[in-house]
Amino acid sequence: MKAVIMAGGKGTRLRPLTSHTPKPMVPLLNRPCMEYTIDLLKKHGITEIAVTLQYLPDAIKSEFGDGSRYGVSLVYFEETTPLGTAGSVKNCADFLDERFIVISGDTLTDIDLTAAIRFHEQKQSLATLILTKVETPLEFGVVMTDESGRIIRFLEKPTWAEVFSDTVNTGMYIFEPEVLSYIEDEREVDFSKEVFPFFLREGKPMYGYAADGYWSDIGSLEVYRQAQFDLLDGKVHLEIKAKEIAPRIYLENHVRIDSSVRLEGPVYIGENVHLQSGVAIGPYSILGTNTVVASGTRLSQAIVWENTIVGKKTEINGTTLCRKVQIADSVMLGEGAVIGDNCRIASKSVVKAGVKIWPDKDVGESAIVTTSLIYGTKQTKNLFGTNGIKGMGNVEITPEFVTRLAASYAYLLQAGSRIALSACAHPFAQLLKHSVMTSLCSSGIDTVDLGIGNSPLMRFGVSSLQCAGGIHIFMTEPLEDKEIVIQFVDQDGLPVSRDVERKIENAYWQETYVRSLHHLGQLHVEHQVQEAYLRALSQRIDTAGIRRQRFRLLVECEPRFTPAFLAPLFDTLGVNVQYGAIQEGVMKHEADLGVRLDKNGEHFSLFTERGEKLTAEQLIALQLLSCSGIHSKIGLPVSAPMELEHLAQLLQLEVVRTKVSPRAMMEVSLGERFHPMFDAVYSLLRILSYLAKEEKPLSVLTELLPSCHMEKKTVFCPWTSKGKVMRKMLEENKGKLLELVDGIKVYDAGGWVLILPDTEDSHVKVITQGATAETAATLATTYARRIAEYQ
């Protein structure tokens, strides 16, 4: 049996560790990560190995050579252009003339490969994926199998709402040579996105082997550190190639330790390290070959690569230092800081916690470094949440932050692309918009300033002006919260896909910018979008019917922009509008209905002439009625009650059940200039058209709407438990009718329950519908209790 080691990754999330070092060469206990992979294959009798290369290939070739030093035979296959995971393996086709295993050169694992191969043989599988359980499955492929182990569902890098299990694809596969025939030559092909979904559709024998043992994908700086701590703690059953001179104190050859040196295990000290007098090496410290630590210095949880010099009376706590770093005397390095290759930190300097310094940088004497050098400062893993990027104004969302964010976005665009920009009326939102504008133009991107607006106006402007995308910035209500939201839309005016969000995030973390004095973008100002929007909207409503009814509205909205924006429209339609708080009373103002518009123009609440607020389900039902004859297809989230689907069918509206995300719902009616569920003004006017046609007050129509009984609960659930909770929920409900569009929807005799992990908070949402209110409440309470128990 042969093997393929995938060793072409750049490891961008590990920068600055990987700025000069390919990811498989990043050291774990002073040995390249890929060496552990080779040792594991050899342990299971696999010695003929192909190695796929792309990023800094010579570094890997020069280290491992032909493999004879490690008791194996290595053959290298280099890619000149990216081929994807499957394309890389197909590039080795001449070598792979028998069953083979694919394994990554940048993971650390002690999984029993022999047992996995035996499982593959017993199942007579074409492809076997080796699976494991992880606490947080978001960065992996979640896999579901039936009782025999056959794979029935595969989802690559899911959102929390798509996490159906904590069982994930390790990236280790056992293949029959026939698999290669399904991969095109010299084309970028991915196993997870193309090959495996094809096998599922075609019913090919594809199984998942649930493995025991240790597995860690060295994909982030935190995981990189933890993997080495796990090695020192004996959690990984792999050989540590050093002498254990005392419990969990490992020394390689020729280590020089002067007087009064204190070692507190677990520690690992590489070859030719010199520890001068009075040095204290605390737990979980790892020192690479030829490191010198001068007298009086204290290290704790420090990871130091080879050929690094640390000066006197320096304190290093939880810091990672790359190759050939020079640290002078009396320096303090904070927890989570990373110092790249060839950096020099002068005496009495302080590098604060979490700071990352790219290679070849000098830090001057007595400097205090609080922000990263050539690296972003925002420390959250994901910039994007459910509805864009959110943060405290001038605290988390600053002009500096949006400048870098816009430059990251520009990196994904073609030079000369046009991007529309708008912001709410708040001065700080407008200031941020100008920061974005400057950054995009300096990156060669043309900008179109739409002025003050909201999200529906932005979406309309992007599609009308045929822009490549748009950015809208607004301050949420109430203003005391000081929360800023930044929304990105694509060329169709839809919120950008998760794939694009990831690309923006990656470019941001890598500080991948394009700046040029020779290709500056142009700034355009467009004043006519509001008028064009109102004209187009008027063509989609019964203007004569609305005029005839002479509606009286009480409208509660933000005062800076909306009243002036809507005034020409309401004047044309003969609608008498009073602006004020709904709590003042619809009846008091003798209004036909009350409307509370959200600041961003996407959502609204509706009140009858009696002051009764419509439920969310009643409002959607009314929106469906008002869309009849205008829209042919509409997206309803899986959380919507079944009665709405039945209503839509009666209205001859095609319904597509979608995820709860705005993009998923909007995509169903792609090409529509107005999205009734995400354009409050359009939806309100459609409802006025419907009321004018029916000539009945809203309270009477509300009584005719289908009734349904819903219950919603939010259950606390730590991020690390969400995957386990979802897996246990699936296991417990085997045999029941399930829907896995978004979260897990379980159909019960008395109704249904939707279990939906929150994408931004440590919560799981429970949404239920029952035949009665009591049934819905009981279902919600029962499942909320189970979620708490599963943790």
Side-chain angles (χ1 to χ4, degrees), residues 29-30 242 250-256 268-274 286-291 304:
L29 300 191
N30 205 34
Y250 298 93
L251 269 62
E252 293 185 12
N253 297 326
H254 312 301
V255 174
R256 180 180 167 188
Y268 187 100
I269 300 177
E271 192 170 26
N272 294 325
V273 167
H274 182 191
I286 298 150
L287 305 183
T289 303
N290 299 324
T291 294
V304 182

mmCIF file with all atom_site columns, all heavy atoms in Angstrom, residues 29-30 242 250-256 268-274 286-291 304:
data_model
loop_
_atom_site.group_PDB
_atom_site.id
_atom_site.type_symbol
_atom_site.label_atom_id
_atom_site.label_alt_id
_atom_site.label_comp_id
_atom_site.label_asym_id
_atom_site.label_entity_id
_atom_site.label_seq_id
_atom_site.pdbx_PDB_ins_code
_atom_site.Cartn_x
_atom_site.Cartn_y
_atom_site.Cartn_z
_atom_site.occupancy
_atom_site.B_iso_or_equiv
_atom_site.pdbx_formal_charge
_atom_site.auth_seq_id
_atom_site.auth_comp_id
_atom_site.auth_asym_id
_atom_site.auth_atom_id
_atom_site.pdbx_PDB_model_num
ATOM 1   N N   . LEU A 1 29  ? 7.888  20.320 18.873 1.00 0.00 ? 29  LEU A N   1
ATOM 2   C CA  . LEU A 1 29  ? 8.981  19.801 19.706 1.00 0.00 ? 29  LEU A CA  1
ATOM 3   C C   . LEU A 1 29  ? 10.261 19.663 18.882 1.00 0.00 ? 29  LEU A C   1
ATOM 4   O O   . LEU A 1 29  ? 10.919 18.619 18.864 1.00 0.00 ? 29  LEU A O   1
ATOM 5   C CB  . LEU A 1 29  ? 8.618  18.455 20.346 1.00 0.00 ? 29  LEU A CB  1
ATOM 6   C CG  . LEU A 1 29  ? 7.399  18.421 21.264 1.00 0.00 ? 29  LEU A CG  1
ATOM 7   C CD1 . LEU A 1 29  ? 7.334  17.103 22.023 1.00 0.00 ? 29  LEU A CD1 1
ATOM 8   C CD2 . LEU A 1 29  ? 7.391  19.592 22.236 1.00 0.00 ? 29  LEU A CD2 1
ATOM 9   N N   . ASN A 1 30  ? 10.600 20.733 18.164 1.00 0.00 ? 30  ASN A N   1
ATOM 10  C CA  . ASN A 1 30  ? 11.872 20.840 17.452 1.00 0.00 ? 30  ASN A CA  1
ATOM 11  C C   . ASN A 1 30  ? 11.994 19.882 16.260 1.00 0.00 ? 30  ASN A C   1
ATOM 12  O O   . ASN A 1 30  ? 13.093 19.654 15.769 1.00 0.00 ? 30  ASN A O   1
ATOM 13  C CB  . ASN A 1 30  ? 13.046 20.615 18.421 1.00 0.00 ? 30  ASN A CB  1
ATOM 14  C CG  . ASN A 1 30  ? 14.321 21.271 17.935 1.00 0.00 ? 30  ASN A CG  1
ATOM 15  O OD1 . ASN A 1 30  ? 14.281 22.337 17.305 1.00 0.00 ? 30  ASN A OD1 1
ATOM 16  N ND2 . ASN A 1 30  ? 15.455 20.642 18.197 1.00 0.00 ? 30  ASN A ND2 1
ATOM 17  N N   . ALA A 1 242 ? 13.859 12.450 22.370 1.00 0.00 ? 242 ALA A N   1
ATOM 18  C CA  . ALA A 1 242 ? 14.793 13.111 23.281 1.00 0.00 ? 242 ALA A CA  1
ATOM 19  C C   . ALA A 1 242 ? 14.848 12.286 24.562 1.00 0.00 ? 242 ALA A C   1
ATOM 20  O O   . ALA A 1 242 ? 13.973 11.457 24.824 1.00 0.00 ? 242 ALA A O   1
ATOM 21  C CB  . ALA A 1 242 ? 14.329 14.537 23.578 1.00 0.00 ? 242 ALA A CB  1
ATOM 22  N N   . TYR A 1 250 ? 12.538 16.809 28.869 1.00 0.00 ? 250 TYR A N   1
ATOM 23  C CA  . TYR A 1 250 ? 13.171 16.138 27.735 1.00 0.00 ? 250 TYR A CA  1
ATOM 24  C C   . TYR A 1 250 ? 14.333 16.985 27.223 1.00 0.00 ? 250 TYR A C   1
ATOM 25  O O   . TYR A 1 250 ? 14.180 18.190 26.963 1.00 0.00 ? 250 TYR A O   1
ATOM 26  C CB  . TYR A 1 250 ? 12.159 15.944 26.600 1.00 0.00 ? 250 TYR A CB  1
ATOM 27  C CG  . TYR A 1 250 ? 10.982 15.072 26.987 1.00 0.00 ? 250 TYR A CG  1
ATOM 28  C CD1 . TYR A 1 250 ? 9.808  15.645 27.478 1.00 0.00 ? 250 TYR A CD1 1
ATOM 29  C CD2 . TYR A 1 250 ? 11.036 13.685 26.858 1.00 0.00 ? 250 TYR A CD2 1
ATOM 30  C CE1 . TYR A 1 250 ? 8.721  14.859 27.830 1.00 0.00 ? 250 TYR A CE1 1
ATOM 31  C CE2 . TYR A 1 250 ? 9.958  12.894 27.208 1.00 0.00 ? 250 TYR A CE2 1
ATOM 32  C CZ  . TYR A 1 250 ? 8.800  13.486 27.693 1.00 0.00 ? 250 TYR A CZ  1
ATOM 33  O OH  . TYR A 1 250 ? 7.734  12.702 28.042 1.00 0.00 ? 250 TYR A OH  1
ATOM 34  N N   . LEU A 1 251 ? 15.494 16.341 27.055 1.00 0.00 ? 251 LEU A N   1
ATOM 35  C CA  . LEU A 1 251 ? 16.679 17.014 26.545 1.00 0.00 ? 251 LEU A CA  1
ATOM 36  C C   . LEU A 1 251 ? 17.236 16.244 25.356 1.00 0.00 ? 251 LEU A C   1
ATOM 37  O O   . LEU A 1 251 ? 17.362 15.013 25.406 1.00 0.00 ? 251 LEU A O   1
ATOM 38  C CB  . LEU A 1 251 ? 17.768 17.110 27.630 1.00 0.00 ? 251 LEU A CB  1
ATOM 39  C CG  . LEU A 1 251 ? 17.791 18.355 28.524 1.00 0.00 ? 251 LEU A CG  1
ATOM 40  C CD1 . LEU A 1 251 ? 16.518 18.482 29.335 1.00 0.00 ? 251 LEU A CD1 1
ATOM 41  C CD2 . LEU A 1 251 ? 19.024 18.325 29.427 1.00 0.00 ? 251 LEU A CD2 1
ATOM 42  N N   . GLU A 1 252 ? 17.578 16.992 24.295 1.00 0.00 ? 252 GLU A N   1
ATOM 43  C CA  . GLU A 1 252 ? 18.317 16.396 23.189 1.00 0.00 ? 252 GLU A CA  1
ATOM 44  C C   . GLU A 1 252 ? 19.809 16.414 23.558 1.00 0.00 ? 252 GLU A C   1
ATOM 45  O O   . GLU A 1 252 ? 20.187 16.768 24.681 1.00 0.00 ? 252 GLU A O   1
ATOM 46  C CB  . GLU A 1 252 ? 18.037 17.154 21.892 1.00 0.00 ? 252 GLU A CB  1
ATOM 47  C CG  . GLU A 1 252 ? 16.595 17.009 21.395 1.00 0.00 ? 252 GLU A CG  1
ATOM 48  C CD  . GLU A 1 252 ? 16.361 17.664 20.043 1.00 0.00 ? 252 GLU A CD  1
ATOM 49  O OE1 . GLU A 1 252 ? 17.355 18.046 19.373 1.00 0.00 ? 252 GLU A OE1 1
ATOM 50  O OE2 . GLU A 1 252 ? 15.186 17.813 19.646 1.00 0.00 ? 252 GLU A OE2 1
ATOM 51  N N   . ASN A 1 253 ? 20.660 16.073 22.587 1.00 0.00 ? 253 ASN A N   1
ATOM 52  C CA  . ASN A 1 253 ? 22.104 15.958 22.852 1.00 0.00 ? 253 ASN A CA  1
ATOM 53  C C   . ASN A 1 253 ? 22.758 17.327 23.008 1.00 0.00 ? 253 ASN A C   1
ATOM 54  O O   . ASN A 1 253 ? 22.315 18.332 22.453 1.00 0.00 ? 253 ASN A O   1
ATOM 55  C CB  . ASN A 1 253 ? 22.787 15.196 21.711 1.00 0.00 ? 253 ASN A CB  1
ATOM 56  C CG  . ASN A 1 253 ? 22.272 13.772 21.614 1.00 0.00 ? 253 ASN A CG  1
ATOM 57  O OD1 . ASN A 1 253 ? 21.945 13.155 22.627 1.00 0.00 ? 253 ASN A OD1 1
ATOM 58  N ND2 . ASN A 1 253 ? 22.196 13.252 20.393 1.00 0.00 ? 253 ASN A ND2 1
ATOM 59  N N   . HIS A 1 254 ? 23.861 17.308 23.769 1.00 0.00 ? 254 HIS A N   1
ATOM 60  C CA  . HIS A 1 254 ? 24.782 18.446 23.869 1.00 0.00 ? 254 HIS A CA  1
ATOM 61  C C   . HIS A 1 254 ? 24.109 19.705 24.413 1.00 0.00 ? 254 HIS A C   1
ATOM 62  O O   . HIS A 1 254 ? 24.410 20.829 23.982 1.00 0.00 ? 254 HIS A O   1
ATOM 63  C CB  . HIS A 1 254 ? 25.423 18.752 22.507 1.00 0.00 ? 254 HIS A CB  1
ATOM 64  C CG  . HIS A 1 254 ? 25.976 17.558 21.813 1.00 0.00 ? 254 HIS A CG  1
ATOM 65  N ND1 . HIS A 1 254 ? 26.956 16.753 22.366 1.00 0.00 ? 254 HIS A ND1 1
ATOM 66  C CD2 . HIS A 1 254 ? 25.659 16.990 20.610 1.00 0.00 ? 254 HIS A CD2 1
ATOM 67  C CE1 . HIS A 1 254 ? 27.221 15.758 21.535 1.00 0.00 ? 254 HIS A CE1 1
ATOM 68  N NE2 . HIS A 1 254 ? 26.454 15.868 20.470 1.00 0.00 ? 254 HIS A NE2 1
ATOM 69  N N   . VAL A 1 255 ? 23.186 19.541 25.336 1.00 0.00 ? 255 VAL A N   1
ATOM 70  C CA  . VAL A 1 255 ? 22.575 20.700 25.994 1.00 0.00 ? 255 VAL A CA  1
ATOM 71  C C   . VAL A 1 255 ? 23.513 21.166 27.109 1.00 0.00 ? 255 VAL A C   1
ATOM 72  O O   . VAL A 1 255 ? 24.009 20.358 27.907 1.00 0.00 ? 255 VAL A O   1
ATOM 73  C CB  . VAL A 1 255 ? 21.191 20.343 26.575 1.00 0.00 ? 255 VAL A CB  1
ATOM 74  C CG1 . VAL A 1 255 ? 20.634 21.510 27.379 1.00 0.00 ? 255 VAL A CG1 1
ATOM 75  C CG2 . VAL A 1 255 ? 20.236 19.965 25.451 1.00 0.00 ? 255 VAL A CG2 1
ATOM 76  N N   . ARG A 1 256 ? 23.767 22.456 27.168 1.00 0.00 ? 256 ARG A N   1
ATOM 77  C CA  . ARG A 1 256 ? 24.666 23.018 28.188 1.00 0.00 ? 256 ARG A CA  1
ATOM 78  C C   . ARG A 1 256 ? 23.839 23.800 29.199 1.00 0.00 ? 256 ARG A C   1
ATOM 79  O O   . ARG A 1 256 ? 23.150 24.768 28.833 1.00 0.00 ? 256 ARG A O   1
ATOM 80  C CB  . ARG A 1 256 ? 25.693 23.931 27.529 1.00 0.00 ? 256 ARG A CB  1
ATOM 81  C CG  . ARG A 1 256 ? 26.671 24.566 28.506 1.00 0.00 ? 256 ARG A CG  1
ATOM 82  C CD  . ARG A 1 256 ? 27.652 25.450 27.760 1.00 0.00 ? 256 ARG A CD  1
ATOM 83  N NE  . ARG A 1 256 ? 28.404 26.298 28.671 1.00 0.00 ? 256 ARG A NE  1
ATOM 84  C CZ  . ARG A 1 256 ? 29.220 27.264 28.269 1.00 0.00 ? 256 ARG A CZ  1
ATOM 85  N NH1 . ARG A 1 256 ? 29.399 27.500 26.970 1.00 0.00 ? 256 ARG A NH1 1
ATOM 86  N NH2 . ARG A 1 256 ? 29.867 28.013 29.165 1.00 0.00 ? 256 ARG A NH2 1
ATOM 87  N N   . TYR A 1 268 ? 10.829 20.922 26.908 1.00 0.00 ? 268 TYR A N   1
ATOM 88  C CA  . TYR A 1 268 ? 11.588 20.229 25.860 1.00 0.00 ? 268 TYR A CA  1
ATOM 89  C C   . TYR A 1 268 ? 12.711 21.155 25.437 1.00 0.00 ? 268 TYR A C   1
ATOM 90  O O   . TYR A 1 268 ? 12.479 22.318 25.072 1.00 0.00 ? 268 TYR A O   1
ATOM 91  C CB  . TYR A 1 268 ? 10.695 19.902 24.664 1.00 0.00 ? 268 TYR A CB  1
ATOM 92  C CG  . TYR A 1 268 ? 11.387 19.046 23.624 1.00 0.00 ? 268 TYR A CG  1
ATOM 93  C CD1 . TYR A 1 268 ? 11.166 17.676 23.573 1.00 0.00 ? 268 TYR A CD1 1
ATOM 94  C CD2 . TYR A 1 268 ? 12.254 19.604 22.688 1.00 0.00 ? 268 TYR A CD2 1
ATOM 95  C CE1 . TYR A 1 268 ? 11.796 16.876 22.635 1.00 0.00 ? 268 TYR A CE1 1
ATOM 96  C CE2 . TYR A 1 268 ? 12.893 18.823 21.744 1.00 0.00 ? 268 TYR A CE2 1
ATOM 97  C CZ  . TYR A 1 268 ? 12.661 17.456 21.722 1.00 0.00 ? 268 TYR A CZ  1
ATOM 98  O OH  . TYR A 1 268 ? 13.290 16.653 20.790 1.00 0.00 ? 268 TYR A OH  1
ATOM 99  N N   . ILE A 1 269 ? 13.946 20.633 25.470 1.00 0.00 ? 269 ILE A N   1
ATOM 100 C CA  . ILE A 1 269 ? 15.123 21.454 25.159 1.00 0.00 ? 269 ILE A CA  1
ATOM 101 C C   . ILE A 1 269 ? 15.911 20.765 24.045 1.00 0.00 ? 269 ILE A C   1
ATOM 102 O O   . ILE A 1 269 ? 16.323 19.613 24.181 1.00 0.00 ? 269 ILE A O   1
ATOM 103 C CB  . ILE A 1 269 ? 15.994 21.672 26.408 1.00 0.00 ? 269 ILE A CB  1
ATOM 104 C CG1 . ILE A 1 269 ? 15.154 22.396 27.472 1.00 0.00 ? 269 ILE A CG1 1
ATOM 105 C CG2 . ILE A 1 269 ? 17.241 22.461 26.068 1.00 0.00 ? 269 ILE A CG2 1
ATOM 106 C CD1 . ILE A 1 269 ? 15.856 22.602 28.778 1.00 0.00 ? 269 ILE A CD1 1
ATOM 107 N N   . GLY A 1 270 ? 16.099 21.491 22.944 1.00 0.00 ? 270 GLY A N   1
ATOM 108 C CA  . GLY A 1 270 ? 16.720 20.925 21.754 1.00 0.00 ? 270 GLY A CA  1
ATOM 109 C C   . GLY A 1 270 ? 18.234 20.874 21.825 1.00 0.00 ? 270 GLY A C   1
ATOM 110 O O   . GLY A 1 270 ? 18.866 21.309 22.799 1.00 0.00 ? 270 GLY A O   1
ATOM 111 N N   . GLU A 1 271 ? 18.811 20.353 20.760 1.00 0.00 ? 271 GLU A N   1
ATOM 112 C CA  . GLU A 1 271 ? 20.248 20.118 20.687 1.00 0.00 ? 271 GLU A CA  1
ATOM 113 C C   . GLU A 1 271 ? 21.028 21.434 20.726 1.00 0.00 ? 271 GLU A C   1
ATOM 114 O O   . GLU A 1 271 ? 20.616 22.447 20.155 1.00 0.00 ? 271 GLU A O   1
ATOM 115 C CB  . GLU A 1 271 ? 20.564 19.359 19.392 1.00 0.00 ? 271 GLU A CB  1
ATOM 116 C CG  . GLU A 1 271 ? 21.979 18.811 19.332 1.00 0.00 ? 271 GLU A CG  1
ATOM 117 C CD  . GLU A 1 271 ? 22.163 17.874 18.154 1.00 0.00 ? 271 GLU A CD  1
ATOM 118 O OE1 . GLU A 1 271 ? 21.425 18.018 17.169 1.00 0.00 ? 271 GLU A OE1 1
ATOM 119 O OE2 . GLU A 1 271 ? 23.044 17.007 18.220 1.00 0.00 ? 271 GLU A OE2 1
ATOM 120 N N   . ASN A 1 272 ? 22.171 21.401 21.429 1.00 0.00 ? 272 ASN A N   1
ATOM 121 C CA  . ASN A 1 272 ? 23.104 22.535 21.496 1.00 0.00 ? 272 ASN A CA  1
ATOM 122 C C   . ASN A 1 272 ? 22.491 23.787 22.124 1.00 0.00 ? 272 ASN A C   1
ATOM 123 O O   . ASN A 1 272 ? 22.965 24.903 21.882 1.00 0.00 ? 272 ASN A O   1
ATOM 124 C CB  . ASN A 1 272 ? 23.656 22.889 20.102 1.00 0.00 ? 272 ASN A CB  1
ATOM 125 C CG  . ASN A 1 272 ? 24.520 21.783 19.547 1.00 0.00 ? 272 ASN A CG  1
ATOM 126 O OD1 . ASN A 1 272 ? 25.233 21.108 20.289 1.00 0.00 ? 272 ASN A OD1 1
ATOM 127 N ND2 . ASN A 1 272 ? 24.433 21.572 18.239 1.00 0.00 ? 272 ASN A ND2 1
ATOM 128 N N   . VAL A 1 273 ? 21.476 23.635 22.919 1.00 0.00 ? 273 VAL A N   1
ATOM 129 C CA  . VAL A 1 273 ? 20.911 24.787 23.636 1.00 0.00 ? 273 VAL A CA  1
ATOM 130 C C   . VAL A 1 273 ? 21.832 25.122 24.818 1.00 0.00 ? 273 VAL A C   1
ATOM 131 O O   . VAL A 1 273 ? 22.363 24.235 25.484 1.00 0.00 ? 273 VAL A O   1
ATOM 132 C CB  . VAL A 1 273 ? 19.483 24.470 24.135 1.00 0.00 ? 273 VAL A CB  1
ATOM 133 C CG1 . VAL A 1 273 ? 19.006 25.524 25.147 1.00 0.00 ? 273 VAL A CG1 1
ATOM 134 C CG2 . VAL A 1 273 ? 18.521 24.407 22.956 1.00 0.00 ? 273 VAL A CG2 1
ATOM 135 N N   . HIS A 1 274 ? 21.992 26.413 25.059 1.00 0.00 ? 274 HIS A N   1
ATOM 136 C CA  . HIS A 1 274 ? 22.806 26.871 26.191 1.00 0.00 ? 274 HIS A CA  1
ATOM 137 C C   . HIS A 1 274 ? 21.925 27.695 27.122 1.00 0.00 ? 274 HIS A C   1
ATOM 138 O O   . HIS A 1 274 ? 21.434 28.766 26.745 1.00 0.00 ? 274 HIS A O   1
ATOM 139 C CB  . HIS A 1 274 ? 23.988 27.705 25.695 1.00 0.00 ? 274 HIS A CB  1
ATOM 140 C CG  . HIS A 1 274 ? 24.890 28.175 26.801 1.00 0.00 ? 274 HIS A CG  1
ATOM 141 N ND1 . HIS A 1 274 ? 25.879 29.130 26.598 1.00 0.00 ? 274 HIS A ND1 1
ATOM 142 C CD2 . HIS A 1 274 ? 24.976 27.837 28.118 1.00 0.00 ? 274 HIS A CD2 1
ATOM 143 C CE1 . HIS A 1 274 ? 26.509 29.344 27.742 1.00 0.00 ? 274 HIS A CE1 1
ATOM 144 N NE2 . HIS A 1 274 ? 25.979 28.570 28.680 1.00 0.00 ? 274 HIS A NE2 1
ATOM 145 N N   . ILE A 1 286 ? 9.444  25.212 25.193 1.00 0.00 ? 286 ILE A N   1
ATOM 146 C CA  . ILE A 1 286 ? 10.082 24.374 24.175 1.00 0.00 ? 286 ILE A CA  1
ATOM 147 C C   . ILE A 1 286 ? 11.153 25.212 23.502 1.00 0.00 ? 286 ILE A C   1
ATOM 148 O O   . ILE A 1 286 ? 10.850 26.289 22.948 1.00 0.00 ? 286 ILE A O   1
ATOM 149 C CB  . ILE A 1 286 ? 9.033  23.894 23.147 1.00 0.00 ? 286 ILE A CB  1
ATOM 150 C CG1 . ILE A 1 286 ? 7.980  23.033 23.837 1.00 0.00 ? 286 ILE A CG1 1
ATOM 151 C CG2 . ILE A 1 286 ? 9.702  23.121 22.014 1.00 0.00 ? 286 ILE A CG2 1
ATOM 152 C CD1 . ILE A 1 286 ? 6.619  23.102 23.201 1.00 0.00 ? 286 ILE A CD1 1
ATOM 153 N N   . LEU A 1 287 ? 12.400 24.741 23.564 1.00 0.00 ? 287 LEU A N   1
ATOM 154 C CA  . LEU A 1 287 ? 13.521 25.503 23.014 1.00 0.00 ? 287 LEU A CA  1
ATOM 155 C C   . LEU A 1 287 ? 14.140 24.733 21.857 1.00 0.00 ? 287 LEU A C   1
ATOM 156 O O   . LEU A 1 287 ? 14.519 23.568 22.002 1.00 0.00 ? 287 LEU A O   1
ATOM 157 C CB  . LEU A 1 287 ? 14.574 25.761 24.100 1.00 0.00 ? 287 LEU A CB  1
ATOM 158 C CG  . LEU A 1 287 ? 14.075 26.444 25.389 1.00 0.00 ? 287 LEU A CG  1
ATOM 159 C CD1 . LEU A 1 287 ? 15.233 26.696 26.339 1.00 0.00 ? 287 LEU A CD1 1
ATOM 160 C CD2 . LEU A 1 287 ? 13.354 27.739 25.067 1.00 0.00 ? 287 LEU A CD2 1
ATOM 161 N N   . GLY A 1 288 ? 14.266 25.396 20.707 1.00 0.00 ? 288 GLY A N   1
ATOM 162 C CA  . GLY A 1 288 ? 14.815 24.766 19.517 1.00 0.00 ? 288 GLY A CA  1
ATOM 163 C C   . GLY A 1 288 ? 16.325 24.723 19.506 1.00 0.00 ? 288 GLY A C   1
ATOM 164 O O   . GLY A 1 288 ? 17.016 25.344 20.342 1.00 0.00 ? 288 GLY A O   1
ATOM 165 N N   . THR A 1 289 ? 16.879 24.013 18.534 1.00 0.00 ? 289 THR A N   1
ATOM 166 C CA  . THR A 1 289 ? 18.316 23.801 18.384 1.00 0.00 ? 289 THR A CA  1
ATOM 167 C C   . THR A 1 289 ? 19.081 25.133 18.382 1.00 0.00 ? 289 THR A C   1
ATOM 168 O O   . THR A 1 289 ? 18.653 26.111 17.775 1.00 0.00 ? 289 THR A O   1
ATOM 169 C CB  . THR A 1 289 ? 18.579 23.042 17.068 1.00 0.00 ? 289 THR A CB  1
ATOM 170 O OG1 . THR A 1 289 ? 17.848 21.822 17.109 1.00 0.00 ? 289 THR A OG1 1
ATOM 171 C CG2 . THR A 1 289 ? 20.046 22.757 16.872 1.00 0.00 ? 289 THR A CG2 1
ATOM 172 N N   . ASN A 1 290 ? 20.216 25.130 19.082 1.00 0.00 ? 290 ASN A N   1
ATOM 173 C CA  . ASN A 1 290 ? 21.167 26.260 19.085 1.00 0.00 ? 290 ASN A CA  1
ATOM 174 C C   . ASN A 1 290 ? 20.605 27.530 19.743 1.00 0.00 ? 290 ASN A C   1
ATOM 175 O O   . ASN A 1 290 ? 21.140 28.623 19.529 1.00 0.00 ? 290 ASN A O   1
ATOM 176 C CB  . ASN A 1 290 ? 21.642 26.608 17.664 1.00 0.00 ? 290 ASN A CB  1
ATOM 177 C CG  . ASN A 1 290 ? 22.358 25.449 17.005 1.00 0.00 ? 290 ASN A CG  1
ATOM 178 O OD1 . ASN A 1 290 ? 23.070 24.694 17.662 1.00 0.00 ? 290 ASN A OD1 1
ATOM 179 N ND2 . ASN A 1 290 ? 22.143 25.275 15.703 1.00 0.00 ? 290 ASN A ND2 1
ATOM 180 N N   . THR A 1 291 ? 19.594 27.393 20.550 1.00 0.00 ? 291 THR A N   1
ATOM 181 C CA  . THR A 1 291 ? 19.070 28.555 21.266 1.00 0.00 ? 291 THR A CA  1
ATOM 182 C C   . THR A 1 291 ? 19.979 28.878 22.457 1.00 0.00 ? 291 THR A C   1
ATOM 183 O O   . THR A 1 291 ? 20.472 27.986 23.132 1.00 0.00 ? 291 THR A O   1
ATOM 184 C CB  . THR A 1 291 ? 17.639 28.281 21.765 1.00 0.00 ? 291 THR A CB  1
ATOM 185 O OG1 . THR A 1 291 ? 16.785 28.140 20.641 1.00 0.00 ? 291 THR A OG1 1
ATOM 186 C CG2 . THR A 1 291 ? 17.117 29.397 22.651 1.00 0.00 ? 291 THR A CG2 1
ATOM 187 N N   . VAL A 1 304 ? 10.201 28.439 21.369 1.00 0.00 ? 304 VAL A N   1
ATOM 188 C CA  . VAL A 1 304 ? 11.322 29.136 20.738 1.00 0.00 ? 304 VAL A CA  1
ATOM 189 C C   . VAL A 1 304 ? 11.908 28.225 19.662 1.00 0.00 ? 304 VAL A C   1
ATOM 190 O O   . VAL A 1 304 ? 12.288 27.092 19.950 1.00 0.00 ? 304 VAL A O   1
ATOM 191 C CB  . VAL A 1 304 ? 12.401 29.507 21.780 1.00 0.00 ? 304 VAL A CB  1
ATOM 192 C CG1 . VAL A 1 304 ? 13.536 30.274 21.112 1.00 0.00 ? 304 VAL A CG1 1
ATOM 193 C CG2 . VAL A 1 304 ? 11.794 30.323 22.915 1.00 0.00 ? 304 VAL A CG2 1
#
